[in-house]
């Protein structure tokens, strides 16, 4: 009788071990083959993806005159846990900021969704060439800082702000609707920039690097085999006559109203003026947010496009 009890215990223990082994095998199979989240997380710990942003397509008038071009600006990036103590006053003066603005920038990045002190994040946006030239000479002194080139719009004439529209950062609602956009990406907000966004934006590229446990780049992943090159956006020729547009805006200076000039034979829009208007250069660069606030609070409503949004009686 004692022998049978011992044998039964042996079978029970053996059965438990087999069941546990099967569970472990199934779990390992699920993790390594079916569920990709663990692989994604592991890759994020050893790989760093640096986005290459394409230049937006240029915009020309009907006669081939360039109206909207691009200029290079720079985002200052940091990896917080790599930053060593530095002279904040010297750093702020070099960038044209106050010490308070620099400190506030550090505070703001900690509030960003998904912030990690091991990841590269934007500290200051759209640093102009003149400032970048000074920064580049002394960047070696500031460990944990790096620079990423971006392009923003520039305009050959201070005209057609309503018509051309402007670009801004994609917000959370846009990112949820369209997976192409990520935090910090630029997108057309109004006008031609918005309507032809998919043609103008181009295609982003990516460079993949191997990093160590401190997120320091050790070299390209697989010798750059999986990198992709950014593709510049398509250029756009519109029906607007830049000379006529500028002339119309001069005629409407200090007046409230709108003018639309159309070629009767084809229906092409030659000019679209809304007055008062604004210089599209105001909505680029670091001062864009402040300028937009001033325009929005202006009692004459210069942002309001009277050519297509206002209601006028016939005649």
């Amino acid at each position: 009788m004692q022998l049978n009890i011992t044998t039964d215990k042996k079978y029970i223990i053996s059965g438990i071990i087999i069941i546990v082994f099967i569970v472990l095998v199934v779990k390992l199979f699920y993790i390594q083959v079916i569920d990709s989240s663990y692989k994604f997380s592991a890759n994020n710990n050893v790989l760093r993806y640096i986005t290459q942003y394409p230049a937006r397509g240029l915009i020309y008038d009907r006669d081939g005159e360039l109206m909207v071009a691009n200029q290079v600006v720079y985002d200052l990036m940091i990896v917080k846990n790599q930053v060593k103590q530095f002279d904040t006053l010297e750093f702020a003066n070099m960038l044209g900021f106050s010490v308070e603005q620099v400190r506030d920038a550090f505070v703001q990045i900690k509030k960003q969704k998904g912030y990690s002190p091991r990841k590269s994040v934007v500290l200051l946006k759209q640093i102009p060439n003149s400032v970048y030239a000074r920064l580049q000479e002394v960047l070696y002194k500031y460990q944990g800082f790096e620079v990423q080139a971006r392009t923003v719009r520039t305009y050959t004439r201070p005209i057609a702000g309503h018509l051309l529209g402007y670009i801004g950062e994609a917000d959370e609602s846009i990112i949820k609707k369209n997976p192409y956009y990520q935090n910090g990406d630029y997108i057309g907000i109004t006008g031609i920039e918005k309507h032809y966004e998919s043609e103008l934006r181009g295609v982003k590229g990516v460079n993949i690097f191997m990093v160590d446990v401190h997120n320091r780049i050790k070299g390209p992943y697989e010798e750059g085999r999986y990198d992709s090159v950014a593709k510049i956006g398509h250029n756009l020729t519109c029906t607007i006559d830049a000379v006529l547009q500028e002339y119309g805006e001069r005629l409407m200076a200090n007046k409230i109203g709108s003018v639309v000039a159309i070629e009767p034979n084809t229906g092409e829009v030659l000019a679209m003026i809304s007055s008062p208007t604004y210089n599209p250069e105001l909505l680029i660069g670091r001062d864009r947010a402040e300028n937009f606030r001033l325009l929005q609070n202006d009692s004459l409503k210069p942002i309001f496009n009277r050519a297509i949004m206002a209601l006028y009686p016939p005649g």
Side-chain angles (χ1 to χ4, degrees), residues 148-180:
Q148 178 173 262
R150 301 290 299 269
T151 58
V152 295
R153 289 312 213 181
T154 185
Y155 303 87
T156 58
R157 297 173 183 254
I159 61 171
H162 298 97
L163 177 68
L164 296 171
Y166 62 91
I167 62 173
E169 288 194 17
D171 59 25
E172 287 296 327
S173 62
I174 294 172
I175 293 170
K176 288 179 180 179
K177 292 178 183 177
N178 191 334
Y180 174 85

Side-chain angles (χ1 to χ4, degrees), residues 6-296:
T6 304
T7 304
D8 290 343
K9 287 183 179 179
K10 183 192 299 183
Y11 285 134
I12 292 171
I13 294 172
S14 299
I16 292 172
I17 292 173
I18 292 171
I19 291 171
V20 171
F21 179 77
I22 292 173
V23 170
L24 290 174
V25 169
V26 171
K27 185 63 176 177
L28 286 172
F29 178 81
Y30 178 80
I31 292 173
Q32 296 183 18
V33 179
I34 298 175
D35 188 357
S36 61
S37 62
Y38 291 93
K39 180 181 178 181
F40 178 77
S41 177
N43 284 340
N44 279 342
N45 288 330
V46 298
L47 300 179
R48 182 171 170 188
Y49 300 81
I50 298 181
T51 301
Q52 303 301 310
Y53 293 97
R56 287 178 74 85
L58 309 179
I59 301 178
Y60 297 87
D61 83 338
R62 65 187 298 109
D63 296 318
E65 179 180 337
L66 182 63
M67 296 183 70
V68 185
N70 298 305
Q71 62 178 333
V72 179
V73 293
Y74 301 88
D75 289 344
L76 183 61
M77 318 284 290
I78 67 163
V79 180
K80 187 66 169 60
N81 71 340
Q82 294 179 16
V83 175
K84 304 297 182 182
Q85 188 173 6
F86 63 92
D87 188 330
T88 309
L89 179 60
E90 178 189 62
F91 183 76
N93 289 338
M94 176 181 57
L95 294 173
F97 286 89
S98 66
V99 173
E100 290 72 23
Q101 286 175 309
V102 171
R103 289 174 176 166
D104 184 62
F106 275 96
V107 172
Q108 292 302 317
I109 64 171
K110 292 182 179 180
K111 297 180 181 179
Q112 294 178 12
K113 184 178 180 181
Y115 166 73
S116 168
R118 296 180 180 273
K119 299 293 184 181
S120 178
V121 294
V122 178
L123 177 66
L124 300 172
K125 299 177 181 177
Q126 298 189 15
I127 297 172
N129 264 312
S130 57
V131 176
Y132 173 66
R134 298 196 301 268
L135 176 63
Q136 191 178 31
E137 295 178 357
V138 297
L139 193 60
Y140 69 92
K141 295 166 55 177
Y142 300 97
Q143 187 173 337
F145 291 82
E146 59 189 40
V147 173
Q148 178 173 262
R150 301 290 299 269
T151 58
V152 295
R153 289 312 213 181
T154 185
Y155 303 87
T156 58
R157 297 173 183 254
I159 61 171
H162 298 97
L163 177 68
L164 296 171
Y166 62 91
I167 62 173
E169 288 194 17
D171 59 25
E172 287 296 327
S173 62
I174 294 172
I175 293 170
K176 288 179 180 179
K177 292 178 183 177
N178 191 334
Y180 174 85
Y181 298 101
Q182 303 296 324
N183 287 327
D185 285 1
Y186 297 143
I187 185 174
I189 303 297
T190 62
I192 289 175
E193 295 281 14
K194 178 180 180 180
H195 189 76
Y196 292 98
E197 167 66 16
S198 58
E199 289 81 12
L200 290 168
R201 72 187 181 192
V203 179
K204 291 182 289 188
V206 64
N207 289 338
I208 308 174
F209 295 94
M210 296 286 294
V211 296
D212 61 16
V213 293
H214 301 291
N215 201 40
R216 293 177 296 208
I217 293 177
K218 309 306 291 184
Y221 175 65
E222 293 287 337
E223 299 181 351
R225 184 181 305 171
Y226 300 103
D227 293 355
S228 60
V229 179
K231 296 180 181 178
I232 297 174
H234 296 293
N235 295 338
L236 181 68
T237 299
C238 59
T239 64
I240 296 299
D241 184 322
V243 175
L244 181 62
Q245 178 77 24
E246 186 171 29
Y247 178 66
E249 291 191 13
R250 286 205 306 269
L251 291 178
M252 290 295 292
N254 301 318
K255 299 179 178 69
I256 296 177
S258 64
V259 175
V260 179
I262 299 175
E263 169 57 58
N265 293 325
T266 61
E268 295 172 332
V269 177
L270 304 179
M272 182 180 288
I273 297 107
S274 175
S275 182
T277 186
Y278 63 90
N279 185 343
E281 291 277 357
L282 292 173
L283 297 184
I284 62 173
R286 292 188 307 185
D287 297 327
R288 174 188 171 278
E290 177 61 19
N291 290 336
F292 184 83
R293 185 186 66 80
L294 293 173
L295 290 171
Q296 197 171 38

